[in-house]
Amino acid sequence: MIYLDNAATSFPKPEAVYEAVIHNMKNFGANPGRSGHKMALEAGRTIFKGREMICKLFNIDDPMQVVFTSNATEALNLAIKGILDQGDHVITTSMEHNSVLRPIKRVENNGVENTIIQCDERGELDPKLIEQAIKSNTKLIVTTHASNVTGTIMPIEEIGKIAKEHGILFLVDAAQTAGIYDINVSSNNIDLLAMAGHKGLMGPQGTGVLYIREGIDVRHFKEGGTGSKSQELVQPLMMPDRYESGTPNTPGIAGLTAGIEFILEEGLDKIRKHEEELTSYFIEGLKEMKKVKIYGQQNAKKQASVVSINIEDEDSSEIGYILDKVFDIGVRPGLHCAPMAHRTIGTLDQGTVRFSFGYFNTKEDINQALEAIKNICEQI
Amino acid sequence: MIYLDNAATSFPKPEAVYEAVIHNMKNFGANPGRSGHKMALEAGRTIFKGREMICKLFNIDDPMQVVFTSNATEALNLAIKGILDQGDHVITTSMEHNSVLRPIKRVENNGVENTIIQCDERGELDPKLIEQAIKSNTKLIVTTHASNVTGTIMPIEEIGKIAKEHGILFLVDAAQTAGIYDINVSSNNIDLLAMAGHKGLMGPQGTGVLYIREGIDVRHFKEGGTGSKSQELVQPLMMPDRYESGTPNTPGIAGLTAGIEFILEEGLDKIRKHEEELTSYFIEGLKEMKKVKIYGQQNAKKQASVVSINIEDEDSSEIGYILDKVFDIGVRPGLHCAPMAHRTIGTLDQGTVRFSFGYFNTKEDINQALEAIKNICEQI
C-alpha cells in the first residue's frame, strides 16, 4: 500500500524505532522509577532520556517540565482543563481539532467562556482577531500549529507575542508539526505545548507529550502511585510525577526517543524540505485537473504536508474507498475530527479526501496518487 | 538478572507478545477506527480482537463494554471519579494501592464521603465489616483483588454478593490477579473491573483496561476525536468511544492480545498452580530463617505470588540494594505505593522487601533468592 495518511499516524517508522521498542521490552522491561534494581533504573533512564530529547528539539530548559501522556488528546485535555476555572475566558480558532474543541465545550458547563475565532475559507487566521477577542478574564489562547484538514500553518509567533503582551497563557497543539517544523518554546512564547509522539516525532502510537512552562499550575486529573512520597494519600505536586501516575508506556517512550534521535540526526530542515517538495509537487499536479477542488492555501510554504481535496460533488468516503480498493492508496476521507474546520472551508457535508505525506514518502508515491486521481476524474 | 519484580510489571513476556507488537508496527501501523483504508481497518481489527480476548478471559458479554486505558491507574481514576458525585459514600479497604486511595481522597474535596475498612495485620479483610459500613448513600465499594504488598487475596465473591444485595456498585482492582486468577464478572457480581495490561496479562507497558457493566453511567474525563459523530462538538456517549479519545496504543494492545492468547492456551489453572508452587516453596524456605519476618498469610493458597519480608530491623531499601548489587536479584523494596497497607501490617517506617514471581520464574530462581537471603542473614 502507498501510505498517504501520515497526519493520522506516521508510517513507517525509522528502523531504530522498532529496535528501541523491542530492545526495551526484551532487555529492560522493568517498571521505571520504582524498585531500584538495575533493570528498573535502566528503564528510568530510558524515560529521562526521552525527556531530554524533547528538550533538545523544542528548546526546553528543564526535562522535568516534560510530561509524557498517552496521546496528544490527553495532553490537550490536561492543559485546557488544568488551566481553566469558572469565570475564565479562552480563545481558540475554527480550525481546531475536536481534541481542543470538545474539552473547551465541556468546560462551558463549569462556567468557562470561549471565543472561537473564525478563520477564512483557506483556513488562515488573522492574529488581529485574536487580539481583539481578548477580555479582562481571558486566561488562555489555544491554537493548532497546523490544521489537520488543510495543513494551514497558524502564525504562532505573532500569537505568542500577543499572549505575552497581555499576560495570557498560550497553548499550542503541535500534533501536525512537532518533528517537522522548528518550534522554540522560548522564542515563540509558548507556555504549554501539546503533541503526539506517533506522528512527526516518528514514535509508536500510545505516546504524547505536554510541555508545561515552569511555574504554571496545571491541575492534574489522575492520581495514583508515582513512586514518590508514597506515604502520602495526596498526590505529590512535584514535576513531572504529578501528571504521570501509574506505569508509563516505557517501550513507547523508548521508541519515541529513537524517533527524535533520528530526526535530530537527519535535521529538521531536511525533513521539512522533503515534505514541502512532495506537497508542492502534489499541488501542482492537482492544479491541472479541472474536476479537482483543492482546499487550503495551495502553497507548500504555508501549509504542512496535508492536502485536502474533493472531486466535483463526489462523496469523499467514496473516493477514499476507490483509492484504497482500486489503487491501493491509503488516505483519510471524511471530517477528520475537525467539524468547524470543515464548516470554515465549506465541506461539512461532503468532507474532504485528505492526503498527508511523511518523510518516507517518495515522488513516485505522489506520481501514483496523481495518476489515480486523474483516473478517477476520467471515470466520473 | 533474576527478575522477581513481577508485581510491578511482568518480565519477560511470551515471545508472541514481542512479535505482535512489531508485527503491528511494521505491517499495520495505521490509525485504527479512522480512515478506512486496509491498514487502518486491520489496525481496528487488532483493537477489536483485544476486546474480545478480554471478554473471553473475564466472561464479559459485550466487547464494546471493554475500555482500553493507558494503565490500571487510569482505569481506576475513570471508574472512581466517573461514578461518585457529591453526597455519595464509598467504601474501600486499608490494603489498597494509592491508585485507589488517592482518587478517593481527591473526591473528598467534592463532598464524597469514604470509609476505609481496616484489615488485620496479615492484610485480611472481614467482609462483614464492609456490610456494616454501608450507609443509605453508599454508591460504590472498591477493593483490590490481591494486595500488591502482601499478596493477600480479598473475598471478592462475598463482597460482590453484599454489593448486589444492597444495590451498590462493585469495582475490583485486579492489577495483581488478572491473567492468573479466575475472575468472572457475571458470577462475581463485578460492575467495574480495572486491570493493568502489563502484569499478569503479559502485555506491554502502556496498556490497561476498564470493564464497565452495561447500563452504568461512568462520567468520562477526556474529550477529543473519537472517529465517531465527528460533526458534533460534544463527546459522543457511545461505548467504548466515549472513553477512548485520540489515537490508542495499538501496538501495545496488539501485544496485550497476544499475551491473553498465550494465557488462554496455557490455561489459567496451569499458570496459577505454577506461581502457587513457587510462592509456597519460597515461603517454606524463608520459614527456616530466624532473622526473616514474613508478612501476610504465609499461605500460597490465600495469596497471590507476592511475598513481603524484612530481615530484622534492616532498612528494606538496603536489602533491596544488596540483592541487586551482590546477588543480581531484582526485587522491590519500600512502600510499593500502598502506605495504608504498610500501616496495616506495621511496616510504614521500615517498608518491606517484596519478592513477586511470574509464570517464567523457576524453582532455581527461588533457590537463588533463598540462598541470597540466607547469606545476607549470616552477614548481619
Side-chain angles (χ1 to χ4, degrees):
Chain A
M1 160 167 281
I2 297 174
Y3 183 83
L4 303 178
D5 195 14
N6 290 276
T9 198
S10 61
F11 178 84
K13 312 293 183 189
E15 199 56 41
V17 172
Y18 306 126
E19 283 165 14
V21 169
I22 284 301
H23 181 76
N24 167 267
M25 287 186 74
K26 287 194 172 177
N27 297 286
F28 304 105
N31 207 324
R34 316 288 195 270
S35 303
H37 54 74
K38 281 182 284 292
M39 269 173 61
L41 292 177
E42 186 60 30
R45 275 191 285 269
T46 299
I47 305 274
F48 192 77
K49 190 179 171 194
R51 296 191 212 281
E52 288 182 322
M53 287 293 122
I54 293 283
C55 287
K56 212 166 171 179
L57 198 54
F58 301 100
N59 192 31
I60 295 166
D61 288 333
D62 182 358
M64 304 312 260
Q65 299 302 121
V66 172
V67 174
F68 285 116
T69 63
S70 55
N71 52 28
T73 302
E74 185 182 350
L76 288 163
N77 271 267
L78 183 51
I80 292 168
K81 295 180 193 164
I83 291 290
L84 294 168
D85 293 305
Q86 190 176 14
D88 289 339
H89 174 242
V90 54
I91 299 170
T92 190
T93 86
S94 71
M95 292 305 285
E96 303 306 313
H97 190 272
N98 272 342
S99 54
V100 167
L101 293 174
R102 282 178 172 173
I104 285 178
K105 282 287 162 186
R106 171 74 179 264
V107 295
E108 268 187 3
N109 304 334
N110 309 342
V112 176
E113 287 181 279
N114 60 68
T115 301
I116 301 174
I117 305 292
Q118 184 60 44
C119 298
D120 73 16
E121 73 288 345
R122 292 174 308 171
E124 260 189 69
L125 175 75
D126 178 357
K128 282 197 211 85
L129 297 178
I130 297 257
E131 190 153 29
Q132 286 164 15
I134 292 173
K135 306 202 288 183
S136 60
N137 61 338
T138 304
K139 193 170 185 183
L140 180 68
I141 297 168
V142 191
T143 71
T144 187
H145 188 192
S147 160
N148 73 313
V149 176
T150 57
T152 309
I153 293 170
M154 298 292 169
I156 57 166
E157 216 170 312
E158 287 162 85
I159 304 169
K161 270 184 208 144
I162 293 169
K164 198 179 181 187
E165 275 169 27
H166 291 265
I168 295 166
L169 296 174
F170 184 32
L171 163 61
V172 173
D173 171 7
Q176 291 303 329
T177 54
I180 304 157
Y181 288 82
D182 192 22
I183 301 172
N184 183 320
V185 297
S186 173
S187 65
N188 294 160
N189 294 311
I190 295 169
D191 297 297
L192 300 131
L193 183 67
M195 61 194 105
H198 61 96
K199 298 186 180 185
L201 293 176
M202 303 198 190
Q205 291 176 28
T207 58
V209 173
L210 179 65
Y211 157 71
I212 302 173
R213 185 184 292 282
E214 207 179 331
I216 299 176
D217 183 40
V218 176
R219 223 178 352 253
H220 57 271
F221 62 71
K222 283 187 288 190
E223 294 87 20
T226 52
S228 56
K229 301 198 176 183
S230 293
Q231 71 285 6
E232 294 178 13
L233 295 184
V234 173
Q235 184 78 350
L237 298 187
M238 62 200 280
M239 288 291 295
D241 301 23
R242 179 177 184 182
Y243 307 104
E244 293 183 354
S245 294
T247 304
N249 181 359
T250 316
I253 293 169
L256 172 57
T257 305
I260 300 174
E261 285 181 306
F262 176 86
I263 291 164
L264 290 168
E265 271 165 35
E266 297 288 298
L268 277 182
D269 274 359
K270 188 177 165 197
I271 292 171
R272 194 177 58 253
K273 267 181 196 152
H274 177 69
E275 295 196 10
E276 268 178 23
E277 275 168 26
L278 296 181
T279 306
S280 188
Y281 184 70
F282 184 62
I283 291 171
E284 291 316 308
L286 288 175
K287 282 182 179 168
E288 292 166 17
M289 303 182 208
K290 284 186 184 159
K291 290 182 180 173
V292 172
K293 175 156 178 54
I294 318 168
Y295 300 94
Q297 282 132 321
Q298 307 181 35
N299 178 344
K301 290 278 172 204
K302 292 185 167 186
Q303 73 191 86
S305 54
V306 173
V307 181
S308 259
I309 70 163
N310 271 315
I311 301 181
E312 294 193 329
D313 297 329
E314 296 297 318
D315 185 66
S316 61
S317 299
E318 185 65 25
I319 304 296
Y321 182 82
I322 295 169
L323 284 168
D324 176 41
K325 289 290 167 193
V326 182
F327 299 95
D328 205 23
I329 294 173
V331 300
R332 185 170 172 200
L335 295 183
H336 318 98
C337 298
M340 288 195 88
H342 280 278
R343 189 178 294 136
T344 300
I345 66 171
T347 51
L348 192 58
D349 290 332
Q350 194 177 5
T352 59
V353 188
R354 183 183 74 180
F355 296 75
S356 52
F357 314 122
Y359 188 54
F360 296 111
N361 281 124
T362 62
K363 213 169 161 182
E364 178 51 27
D365 293 339
I366 310 295
N367 279 330
Q368 291 205 35
L370 288 169
E371 197 56 43
I373 298 165
K374 200 173 150 195
N375 206 302
I376 295 170
C377 286
E378 282 163 6
Q379 307 275 323
I380 286 170
Chain B
M1 159 168 281
I2 296 174
Y3 182 83
L4 303 178
D5 194 15
N6 289 278
T9 198
S10 60
F11 178 85
K13 312 293 183 190
E15 198 56 41
V17 172
Y18 305 126
E19 284 165 14
V21 169
I22 285 301
H23 181 76
N24 168 266
M25 286 185 74
K26 287 194 172 176
N27 297 287
F28 304 105
N31 208 325
R34 316 286 195 272
S35 304
H37 53 74
K38 280 183 283 292
M39 270 173 62
L41 292 177
E42 187 59 31
R45 274 190 285 269
T46 299
I47 304 274
F48 192 77
K49 189 179 170 193
R51 295 190 213 281
E52 288 182 321
M53 287 293 122
I54 292 283
C55 287
K56 211 165 172 180
L57 199 53
F58 301 101
N59 192 30
I60 294 166
D61 289 332
D62 182 358
M64 304 312 259
Q65 299 301 120
V66 172
V67 174
F68 285 116
T69 64
S70 55
N71 51 28
T73 303
E74 185 181 350
L76 289 163
N77 271 267
L78 182 52
I80 291 168
K81 295 180 192 163
I83 291 290
L84 294 169
D85 293 305
Q86 190 176 15
D88 288 339
H89 174 241
V90 54
I91 299 170
T92 190
T93 85
S94 71
M95 292 304 286
E96 302 306 312
H97 190 272
N98 272 342
S99 53
V100 166
L101 292 174
R102 283 178 171 172
I104 285 178
K105 282 287 162 186
R106 172 75 179 265
V107 295
E108 267 186 6
N109 304 334
N110 308 343
V112 176
E113 288 181 278
N114 60 68
T115 301
I116 301 174
I117 304 293
Q118 184 61 44
C119 297
D120 72 16
E121 73 286 346
R122 292 173 308 170
E124 261 188 66
L125 174 75
D126 179 356
K128 282 197 211 82
L129 296 178
I130 296 256
E131 189 153 30
Q132 286 163 17
I134 292 172
K135 305 203 289 183
S136 60
N137 60 339
T138 304
K139 192 168 186 184
L140 181 67
I141 298 169
V142 191
T143 70
T144 186
H145 189 192
S147 160
N148 72 312
V149 176
T150 57
T152 310
I153 293 169
M154 297 293 170
I156 58 165
E157 217 170 313
E158 286 161 85
I159 303 169
K161 268 183 210 145
I162 293 169
K164 198 180 182 187
E165 275 169 28
H166 291 265
I168 295 166
L169 296 174
F170 184 32
L171 162 62
V172 173
D173 170 7
Q176 293 302 329
T177 54
I180 305 158
Y181 288 81
D182 192 23
I183 301 172
N184 184 321
V185 298
S186 173
S187 65
N188 295 161
N189 294 312
I190 295 169
D191 298 297
L192 300 131
L193 183 67
M195 60 194 107
H198 60 95
K199 298 187 180 185
L201 293 177
M202 304 199 191
Q205 291 177 29
T207 57
V209 173
L210 179 65
Y211 157 71
I212 302 173
R213 184 184 293 280
E214 207 180 330
I216 298 176
D217 183 40
V218 176
R219 221 176 357 251
H220 57 270
F221 62 71
K222 284 187 289 191
E223 294 88 22
T226 51
S228 56
K229 300 197 176 185
S230 292
Q231 71 286 6
E232 293 178 14
L233 296 183
V234 172
Q235 184 78 351
L237 298 186
M238 62 199 280
M239 288 291 294
D241 301 22
R242 179 177 184 181
Y243 307 104
E244 293 183 353
S245 294
T247 304
N249 181 0
T250 317
I253 293 169
L256 172 57
T257 305
I260 300 174
E261 285 181 306
F262 176 86
I263 291 164
L264 289 169
E265 271 165 37
E266 297 288 298
L268 276 180
D269 274 359
K270 187 177 163 197
I271 292 171
R272 194 177 58 255
K273 268 183 197 152
H274 178 69
E275 295 196 9
E276 268 178 22
E277 274 168 27
L278 296 180
T279 305
S280 188
Y281 184 70
F282 183 62
I283 290 172
E284 293 314 308
L286 288 174
K287 281 183 178 168
E288 291 166 17
M289 303 181 208
K290 284 186 184 158
K291 290 182 181 175
V292 172
K293 176 155 178 53
I294 318 168
Y295 299 94
Q297 281 134 320
Q298 307 180 35
N299 178 342
K301 289 278 171 203
K302 292 185 167 187
Q303 72 190 88
S305 54
V306 173
V307 181
S308 260
I309 69 162
N310 270 314
I311 300 181
E312 294 193 328
D313 297 329
E314 296 297 319
D315 184 67
S316 62
S317 299
E318 185 65 24
I319 303 296
Y321 182 82
I322 295 169
L323 284 167
D324 176 41
K325 289 289 167 192
V326 180
F327 299 96
D328 205 23
I329 294 173
V331 300
R332 185 171 171 200
L335 294 183
H336 319 98
C337 297
M340 289 196 89
H342 280 277
R343 190 177 293 133
T344 301
I345 66 170
T347 52
L348 193 57
D349 290 332
Q350 194 178 4
T352 59
V353 188
R354 183 184 73 181
F355 296 75
S356 52
F357 314 122
Y359 188 54
F360 296 111
N361 282 124
T362 62
K363 212 168 163 184
E364 179 50 27
D365 293 339
I366 309 296
N367 279 330
Q368 291 205 36
L370 288 169
E371 197 56 42
I373 298 165
K374 199 173 152 197
N375 206 301
I376 294 170
C377 286
E378 282 163 8
Q379 306 276 322
I380 284 170

